[in-house]
Amino acid sequence: MMANQLPIPAFFNPQTVGEIWRVPYLDRAAAAETWAKEHQIKPATTDRCRVCLLVVDVQNTFCIPEFELFVGGQSGLGAVEDNRRLCEFIYRNLGTITTITPTMDTHKAVQIFHPVFWVNGAGEHPQPASNISFAEVAQGLWRVNPAIAFSTKRDYEDLQQYARHYTAQLSQAGKYPLTIWPYHAMLGGIGHALVPAVEEALFFHNLVRHSQTHFEIKGDNPLTENYSALRPEVLDDAHGQPIAQENTRFLQKLLAFDALIIAGQAKSHCLAWTVDDLLSEILRHDPALAKKVYLLEDCTSPVVIPGVVDFTAQADQAFDRFAAAGMQLVSSTMAIADFPGLNL
């Protein structure tokens, strides 16, 4: 064990990281009180150097095999392996992490990236993992499903106009084309919940450090994708009226920390887009701030659907760009105290 790191509690079972189970809150609360005393861990309010761990979308829908959008990465077990390392990182650095902030991808059935939103001339919905381009919308190959206008509380013709605008905006901004995803991260469903092993680690940290876990909801706007926790893909409708806004409150909160460590899923999508928006804000104000952002490179994996799509190259290119801008790529086996540039 490296200097400045704590042992991993005996209750942590790395073999169950890829499974669904109930966190025994009362047992963990009692263990947390004992753990803090045994290892002389002080409350987070005493931290001289304030460290935030941002955990992006570590939810069952992305991280449990056989769930809707399991991020297998190159190994086929990417998110499970990532979360085992993430949990161990949290436990070993429990006394150093001030705050943990998980983002929660949050969806309902009627959203622009779900099949029910669209129909073709035969009344069929698009298949999951397919793309819808501006050209296809403009030509009428795909159109908004008339039946969902009621749920969005918008006029159908206005929705059709918005669909053309939306797909055009994605293309012009250099974003990924509109991807139709399986129904996932459904609010109220088990897929929306945090992976139990990670939830347990966050709960334990909360009580050991007396630091409330800060949950950040994203992705519930029916008219736009929201890969990034800081900004939806499209902000305005076809008339220039706002349909969403940047999450400046959350952005300011993250940048207020002395160090920001980022992990989660997926390296090619929600995590990459979040870091990209964070970097854009940093470059607008003070490029030197990039040095206080640390990316846990072994706690994130790209979207890979064998035989369908592989975003590994795009994810690696994004991380190369982040590193070139001054953000630091680190490993979960490192003690936070050993991170370059940190003075704990």
Side-chain angles (χ1 to χ4, degrees):
M1 186 176 63
M2 298 176 65
N4 301 308
Q5 290 189 312
L6 295 164
I8 295 173
F11 61 74
F12 175 66
N13 182 356
Q15 302 305 314
T16 62
V17 173
E19 300 174 5
I20 299 291
W21 39 273
R22 182 187 67 84
V23 176
Y25 299 117
L26 287 178
D27 291 346
R28 296 298 173 263
E33 188 170 353
T34 301
W35 199 256
K37 292 177 180 176
E38 179 181 347
H39 296 283
Q40 299 180 328
I41 303 173
K42 296 179 180 179
T45 53
T46 65
D47 289 355
R48 184 174 60 85
C49 179
R50 298 176 65 250
V51 176
C52 176
L53 173 62
L54 174 62
V55 181
V56 178
D57 297 0
V58 190
Q59 298 161 264
N60 294 329
T61 199
F62 302 115
C63 299
I64 299 293
E66 308 303 325
F67 268 64
E68 299 86 2
L69 282 175
F70 175 64
V71 180
Q74 289 288 300
S75 72
L77 284 174
V80 174
E81 297 165 339
D82 296 336
N83 287 336
R84 175 184 56 78
R85 289 186 285 262
L86 176 62
C87 288
E88 292 172 350
F89 175 80
I90 292 170
Y91 290 127
R92 286 196 299 261
N93 294 279
L94 208 66
T96 305
I97 301 169
T98 308
T99 299
I100 303 181
T101 297
T103 66
M104 303 284 288
D105 209 28
T106 304
H107 304 320
K108 299 177 184 177
V110 178
Q111 298 205 233
I112 200 166
F113 45 79
H114 279 158
V116 74
F117 199 94
W118 300 91
V119 290
N120 61 16
E124 301 165 331
H125 302 302
Q127 291 297 307
S130 62
N131 292 329
I132 292 179
S133 68
F134 167 71
E136 290 172 315
V137 176
Q139 294 167 19
L141 299 179
W142 290 110
R143 58 190 178 90
V144 177
N145 179 1
I148 62 95
F150 172 78
S151 295
T152 62
K153 297 181 174 59
R154 285 181 172 252
D155 175 77
Y156 178 66
E157 290 304 321
D158 184 59
L159 280 174
Q160 275 292 100
Q161 186 178 10
Y162 177 75
R164 291 189 292 272
H165 165 78
Y166 184 84
T167 50
Q169 286 290 104
L170 292 181
S171 177
Q172 293 166 12
K175 300 280 190 178
Y176 289 145
L178 172 61
T179 301
I180 302 302
W181 297 106
Y183 299 101
H184 68 285
M186 299 294 287
L187 182 61
I190 192 170
H192 181 256
L194 290 176
V195 171
V198 176
E199 183 202 0
E200 181 178 55
L202 270 54
F203 180 77
F204 194 68
H205 171 271
N206 190 333
L207 295 186
V208 169
R209 306 273 356 251
H210 295 88
S211 175
Q212 185 77 287
T213 306
H214 173 81
F215 294 87
E216 190 69 25
I217 300 299
K218 74 176 182 69
D220 56 349
N221 189 317
L223 296 180
T224 179
E225 298 154 286
N226 207 147
Y227 295 119
S228 169
L230 301 174
R231 186 184 188 278
E233 297 299 279
V234 173
L235 297 171
D236 301 319
D237 65 15
H239 310 291
Q241 297 300 309
I243 60 110
Q245 60 185 7
E246 295 183 5
N247 195 344
T248 53
R249 171 196 54 80
F250 188 42
L251 178 63
Q252 291 167 359
K253 177 184 177 71
L254 294 177
L255 289 177
F257 286 92
D258 298 303
L260 175 61
I261 305 168
I262 305 177
Q265 304 303 333
K267 183 180 181 181
S268 53
H269 286 73
C270 294
L271 186 141
W273 254 230
T274 298
V275 176
D276 191 68
D277 284 339
L278 179 69
L279 179 58
S280 294
E281 186 68 15
I282 285 173
L283 294 177
R284 275 198 296 268
H285 291 86
D286 182 2
L289 293 176
K291 288 188 170 66
K292 72 175 183 177
V293 179
Y294 300 85
L295 306 180
L296 281 179
E297 198 169 20
D298 61 344
C299 293
T300 183
S301 292
V303 170
V304 178
I305 305 174
V308 180
V309 68
D310 186 338
F311 285 97
T312 301
Q314 292 92 322
D316 290 344
Q317 289 166 10
F319 267 53
D320 289 343
R321 182 162 50 83
F322 301 151
M327 293 182 173
Q328 309 198 53
L329 307 185
V330 292
S331 165
S332 64
T333 57
M334 295 175 63
I336 292 177
D338 295 331
F339 280 8
L342 265 188
N343 182 17
L344 298 177

